[in-house]
């Protein structure tokens, strides 16, 4: 290696020295600074996503507190309220089966019901009353937007 270096003239030595220095700094950049920069960018992106999630959670939390409290239903009152609510909705023309399967458990069955309408009704019913969905089974039918539905709820 010493012999190779001594055989080079002054201009080649300077060029080779500058090239080695450039390669050293480039490798230093690739191995140290670039991964650090990439990690910092990822952390900033993660931080901004978490801030956005936190703002959304605070917004939802504030919405939750502004809502009125739900009415607690007893097992005897649940069947009555459910019947009244089902008769008041726009898809009441669809026949349904409503039966009490346990002391505090009611099963609602539809052979055909509009999916979107039922989900909206269930959401509004959930806003008004406190209950637990024990089982929800939804199956497709041949008609688009219409489903076969079985719902079991408890107090």
């Amino acid at each position: 290696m010493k012999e190779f270096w001594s055989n080079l003239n002054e201009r080649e030595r300077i060029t080779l020295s500058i090239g080695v220095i450039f390669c050293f700094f480039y490798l230093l950049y690739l191995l140290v600074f670039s991964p650090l920069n990439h990690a910092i960018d990822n952390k900033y992106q993660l931080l901004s996503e978490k801030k956005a999630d936190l703002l959304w959670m605070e917004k939802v939390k504030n919405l939750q507190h502004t809502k009125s409290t739900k009415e607690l239903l007893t097992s005897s009152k649940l069947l009555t309220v459910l019947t009244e609510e089902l008769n008041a909705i726009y898809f009441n023309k669809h026949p349904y089966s409503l039966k009490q399967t346990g002391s505090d458990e009611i099963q609602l069955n539809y052979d055909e019901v509009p999916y979107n309408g039922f989900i909206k009704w269930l959401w509004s019913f959930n806003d008004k009353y406190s209950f637990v969905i024990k089982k929800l089974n939804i199956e497709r039918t041949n008609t688009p937007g219409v489903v076969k539905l079985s719902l079991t709820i408890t107090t």
Side-chain angles (χ1 to χ4, degrees):
M1 186 71 141
K2 238 180 187 183
E3 186 179 319
F4 174 74
W5 184 257
S6 63
N7 287 339
L8 297 175
N9 64 28
E10 186 72 25
R11 188 177 351 162
E12 290 173 340
R13 287 181 193 170
I14 293 173
T15 305
L16 188 60
S17 299
I18 291 173
V20 167
I21 292 171
F22 176 76
C23 287
F24 172 75
F25 283 115
Y26 184 68
L27 283 175
L28 185 69
Y29 169 77
L30 285 179
L31 297 176
V32 176
F33 295 114
S34 180
L36 286 176
N37 193 22
H38 185 68
I40 290 171
D41 288 343
N42 285 342
K43 294 296 180 183
Y44 275 124
Q45 182 180 2
L46 187 65
L47 178 66
S48 66
E49 290 172 359
K50 292 202 183 252
K51 282 182 180 178
D53 288 346
L54 180 62
L55 289 174
W56 178 80
M57 286 182 206
E58 288 174 351
K59 181 180 172 185
V60 169
K61 181 182 174 186
N62 291 337
L63 287 175
Q64 188 74 17
H65 290 297
T66 59
K67 290 185 178 180
S68 62
T69 59
K70 297 179 183 181
E71 182 179 341
L72 295 174
L73 297 174
T74 61
S75 58
S76 60
K77 193 175 178 185
L78 179 61
L79 186 61
T80 307
V81 169
L82 197 56
T83 304
E84 290 172 358
E85 287 282 330
L86 287 172
N87 288 332
I89 55 178
Y90 78 93
F91 56 86
N92 61 356
K93 64 182 176 183
H94 298 281
Y96 63 89
S97 165
L98 189 63
K99 59 184 173 184
Q100 193 158 2
T101 57
S103 62
D104 63 343
E105 189 174 279
I106 295 177
Q107 184 173 9
L108 171 65
N109 294 315
Y110 275 103
D111 287 332
E112 290 183 339
V113 66
Y115 175 76
N116 288 338
F118 185 81
I119 295 298
K120 286 178 185 175
W121 170 81
L122 189 61
W123 188 264
S124 67
F125 190 72
N126 182 42
D127 284 343
K128 293 179 192 174
Y129 304 104
S130 177
F131 66 94
V132 176
I133 297 176
K134 193 171 185 180
K135 178 182 143 190
L136 176 63
N137 185 23
I138 300 175
E139 297 175 12
R140 296 171 65 171
T141 62
N142 293 333
T143 310
V146 177
V147 294
K148 181 179 179 183
L149 184 128
S150 174
L151 172 70
T152 305
I153 61 175
T154 62
T155 56

